[in-house]
Amino acid sequence: MSYRLVIYKMIKKLKPAASPLDFYSLLMSFNGLGFANLVASHKALVSSIVEEGIAVTVTNLILKRRQSLGLPPLQFDTADTKKLAEATGLLKTLERLE
Amino acid sequence: MRSYALFPGCFISARFPHFESSTLKVLKELGFELKRLKGVTCCPEPVSMHMLNLKAWYTVAARNICLAEEAGLDILTFCNGCNATLFRVNQDLKAAEGLRREVNENLKRVGKKFEGKIAVKSILRVLFEEAGQSVIKVHVKNPLHNIKVAVHYGCHIFDEIKDFDDPKNPKSLKELVRVLGADVVSYPSEMLCCAAFARTIDKELALVVAEEKLNDLVDASADCLVVICPYCFLQYDLSQIILTGQSKKTFEIPILYYPQLLGLAMGFNARDMRLDFHKVKTTKLIQLIERARDR
């Protein structure tokens, strides 16, 4: 059993009903052990979806590759996504994780 | 064959576009028509947004489904992750009136309304159920005789898979490989998660889990591993390079996205399927396939 699993089980015992967000500040104290990276990486991915409409960074290589494969350029919505992020409280969630 | 609204997903579109191009070639040959939806976003990814804000996850997914409803077409997903999100959201919103009302209230802001009129299907399901073995067999020009293929379903497909296969002992992907003339090899860690999710938090854990399956594939003498998820593909294709670089062991098991293997059996060549974009070389596999063809 890795120490990450041990720490996670300890955290669950301390605060069993907590949401992932409530764990965040506690997890940040374990920064450097790699555990806090879990929430940080989720936040980065979701922020990318809200800002760019896509979870993945688009590189010039990929854009050229798509063109060479005869595929259309990438187009993802951002306007509607931002509105929905606001309407559902997701923007506030992301701000809390700053 | 039917028409579908295409949902390749952002991971395939923006990381592995050759999966998109090769699958489109294969589906066209099989007689499917695909329509691109304008204004799509990430599905959204089935773990992160789901964890941070469930309401947002349902709503963003519902918006994507609305685009297909407006086109009057069922959605065809290329990625297990997209399937996990869109299939589940579609099912839940159809079943739960309160949730649907809540989501539609938010969707009003963008002029959309979820009606529950369409289905969401994975590439695995569409090829297994709709194309079926009899149709695929007719299109096989290069039977993959004596090629030993191992399969990996991945995890996120298992919500939908219970609708068309046995989740405890799935056969669909194996049947789709057998119809190409290949031999399907079994191995102990067949149902093991690829652990791609662990790559961002514990690289060592992710490698250890990948190595377990790769070792089993070597023991099973698999000529290749077939996957239906781009994240699983990334995990197994990249892990072999990392493990070989760490001088732990040399792995050379080509990883193919199923439509690529199907394409090779249908007569497309390695260049058509863009196997040159894979990190683990497929040269030996292609030689085996050519030998099988020339017999």
Side-chain angles (χ1 to χ4, degrees):
Chain A
M1 192 185 292
S2 73
Y3 67 84
R4 285 178 182 84
L5 195 50
V6 169
I7 289 166
Y8 180 65
K9 287 188 177 209
M10 279 168 56
I11 290 170
K12 286 286 270 186
K13 272 201 172 165
L14 287 171
K15 216 171 177 189
S19 74
L21 285 179
D22 293 326
F23 281 149
Y24 187 68
S25 55
L26 200 57
L27 293 178
M28 284 304 289
S29 65
F30 291 104
N31 200 16
L33 296 180
F35 207 88
N37 290 342
L38 174 64
V39 180
S41 71
H42 286 322
K43 177 183 174 260
L45 193 149
V46 172
S47 297
S48 176
I49 295 171
V50 173
E51 293 301 320
E52 311 291 338
I54 181 172
V56 181
T57 306
V58 180
T59 62
N60 280 331
L61 170 66
I62 286 297
L63 293 176
K64 284 180 188 161
R65 189 167 280 187
R66 283 187 68 83
Q67 201 174 22
S68 73
L69 291 168
L71 294 171
L74 286 174
Q75 277 177 330
F76 289 91
D77 170 82
T78 52
D80 279 6
T81 315
K82 285 192 177 93
K83 285 180 191 167
L84 295 179
E86 193 190 11
T88 55
L90 178 59
L91 288 184
K92 282 202 176 117
T93 304
L94 293 173
E95 277 167 27
R96 276 175 60 194
L97 292 175
E98 292 291 330
Chain B
M1 294 295 160
R2 286 178 49 194
S3 301
Y4 281 93
L6 172 63
F7 200 96
C10 51
F11 206 61
I12 284 182
S13 300
R15 283 297 292 268
F16 306 113
H18 62 297
F19 289 172
E20 186 179 337
S21 62
S22 51
T23 306
L24 289 174
K25 282 183 176 132
V26 159
L27 289 176
K28 188 180 176 186
E29 199 63 26
L30 291 173
F32 287 92
E33 276 181 20
L34 295 175
K35 181 186 164 77
R36 285 190 185 270
L37 299 172
K38 280 190 185 150
V40 291
T41 65
C42 177
C43 47
E45 186 267 347
V47 176
S48 300
M49 196 182 285
H50 185 279
M51 190 188 90
L52 295 189
N53 189 311
L54 191 58
K55 205 191 305 181
W57 181 72
Y58 272 108
T59 310
V60 172
R63 183 190 163 277
N64 280 320
I65 295 170
C66 288
L67 296 174
E69 285 184 345
E70 286 163 10
L73 295 168
D74 290 346
I75 287 175
L76 171 54
T77 59
F78 284 5
C79 163
N80 277 5
C82 297
N83 185 262
T85 290
L86 297 176
F87 178 83
R88 179 42 41 202
V89 168
N90 200 40
Q91 298 288 90
D92 285 357
L93 292 183
K94 280 179 178 178
E97 196 187 322
L99 177 63
R100 188 168 66 248
R101 205 178 317 120
E102 203 181 328
V103 164
N104 276 333
E105 201 50 44
N106 289 322
L107 286 175
K108 274 181 191 170
R109 282 224 198 174
V110 297
K112 300 268 180 258
K113 185 183 180 188
F114 176 88
E115 306 265 8
K117 293 192 289 196
I118 60 140
V120 175
K121 294 186 183 180
S122 62
I123 185 72
L124 173 64
R125 184 175 192 174
V126 166
L127 288 174
F128 182 67
E129 278 190 325
E130 197 171 321
Q133 293 170 66
S134 52
V135 167
I136 292 175
K137 204 169 184 173
V138 165
H139 286 84
V140 171
K141 291 181 187 136
N142 293 338
L144 306 177
H145 293 315
N146 301 318
I147 310 293
K148 296 194 192 73
V149 179
V151 304
H152 170 83
Y153 288 86
C155 302
H156 289 307
I157 196 70
F158 276 83
D159 197 1
E160 188 203 25
I161 221 172
K162 61 186 185 308
D163 282 6
F164 64 94
D165 198 353
D166 179 0
K168 288 193 177 152
N169 185 20
K171 293 185 171 53
S172 45
L173 185 54
K174 292 183 183 180
E175 302 288 340
L176 285 178
V177 168
R178 286 197 186 101
V179 76
L180 306 181
D183 298 326
V184 173
V185 295
S186 296
Y187 59 100
S189 55
E190 206 168 289
M191 301 298 274
L192 180 65
C193 171
C194 72
F197 72 93
R199 290 182 70 239
T200 52
I201 53 167
D202 194 330
K203 285 194 172 76
E204 196 183 336
L205 174 67
L207 273 180
V208 161
V209 175
E211 196 177 4
E212 182 182 337
K213 183 166 287 221
L214 292 169
N215 281 330
D216 283 352
L217 294 176
V218 169
D219 291 344
S221 304
D223 294 317
C224 68
L225 175 69
V226 149
V227 299
I228 45 172
C229 171
Y231 221 178
C232 299
F233 169 84
L234 173 68
Q235 171 69 336
Y236 292 123
D237 195 43
L238 184 58
S239 293
Q240 291 183 66
I241 305 302
I242 296 171
L243 287 166
T244 304
Q246 288 176 351
S247 301
K248 282 192 172 189
K249 198 169 173 174
T250 300
F251 291 102
E252 287 176 319
I253 303 166
I255 314 297
L256 269 68
Y257 180 58
Y258 175 76
Q260 290 177 305
L261 189 74
L262 171 57
L264 292 172
M266 285 170 68
F268 289 102
N269 59 38
R271 177 79 190 167
D272 292 326
M273 297 293 103
R274 298 318 304 255
L275 299 184
D276 53 316
F277 287 155
H278 294 204
K279 294 200 182 328
V280 175
K281 299 294 170 212
T282 57
T283 320
K284 280 184 191 164
L285 175 67
I286 297 306
Q287 284 169 353
L288 286 173
I289 292 173
E290 284 169 357
R291 224 175 285 158
R293 182 194 62 200
D294 295 339
R295 275 206 194 104

